[in-house]
Amino acid sequence: DIIFMDPPYRKDIEADVVSYLLESSIVKEGTLIIVETSMDTDVSYMNDLPCTVERIKDYKTNRHVFLRV
């Protein structure tokens, strides 16, 4: 399964949504969650989540963080 998140930038809701997803029944082992953020969003907290940061891909104006449950 793949979940692609594209929340509004600079609203600081990524952490809440990812935490909610990880606790929900729709996310299973092996699920890939891709979180799109602005370039200036702090994503360092994702290293402490109960999943693996597989990749962080920076583009000109945004970033994708790939989380594997």
Side-chain angles (χ1 to χ4, degrees):
D1 294 338
I2 298 173
I3 297 172
F4 182 82
M5 287 179 41
D6 185 13
Y9 292 170
R10 298 177 188 85
K11 299 291 185 184
D12 295 324
I13 63 172
E14 294 88 1
D16 292 337
V17 175
V18 170
S19 293
Y20 175 82
L21 285 171
L22 291 174
E23 294 174 10
S24 75
S25 62
I26 65 170
V27 173
K28 298 172 179 36
E29 186 174 337
T31 297
L32 180 64
I33 301 173
I34 304 168
V35 184
E36 183 173 317
T37 68
S38 64
M39 292 295 289
D40 58 351
T41 298
D42 179 19
V43 296
S44 62
Y45 71 91
M46 292 185 184
N47 291 311
D48 298 327
L49 295 172
C51 56
T52 303
V53 177
E54 285 194 344
R55 180 177 182 195
I56 297 176
K57 174 70 175 160
D58 291 337
Y59 300 94
K60 285 185 179 181
T61 59
N62 62 10
R63 149 185 308 138
H64 289 164
V65 182
F66 296 77
L67 304 170
R68 179 75 65 182
V69 178

